[in-house]
Amino acid sequence: MKDFFKKLLSGVNGDVSSKRFITLLSFVLISIAFISNVFFEIPMREYVWNGMLIFCGSGLGFTTLEYFGKK
């Protein structure tokens, strides 16, 4: 399991990528916010939700660009 997460977070060179870690963390936080909104009816401001979605999406885009930028 430890090797799986290390491989999941490793970048092109094999070391842990901070962009991947921050993107994974933002995805986990978005998931927690969504579950708390749906099941526990805890409201969330729309601008916070949109900002986190943009942050997570841009992180995914930047990690994708890692592979094309190094070659």
Side-chain angles (χ1 to χ4, degrees), residues 5 18 22 28 43 53:
F5 281 112
S18 62
I22 291 172
V28 168
L53 284 178

Side-chain angles (χ1 to χ4, degrees), residues 4-32:
F4 171 73
F5 281 112
K6 186 170 180 161
K7 188 176 178 183
L8 179 72
L9 295 175
S10 63
V12 177
N13 298 336
D15 24 326
V16 177
S17 173
S18 62
K19 290 184 284 290
R20 288 176 184 248
F21 177 74
I22 291 172
T23 303
L24 182 66
L25 184 66
S26 67
F27 175 74
V28 168
L29 291 175
I30 288 172
S31 300
I32 291 171

Side-chain angles (χ1 to χ4, degrees), residues 30-70:
I30 288 172
S31 300
I32 291 171
F34 178 75
I35 290 171
S36 67
N37 189 7
V38 171
F39 294 114
F40 303 116
E41 298 177 3
I42 298 173
M44 185 173 205
R45 304 258 184 207
E46 186 176 352
Y47 65 88
V48 174
W49 177 257
N50 290 337
M52 286 300 290
L53 284 178
I54 290 171
F55 186 71
C56 187
S58 63
L60 289 172
F62 287 137
T63 56
T64 304
L65 289 175
E66 278 182 346
Y67 289 107
F68 296 114
K70 298 290 181 183

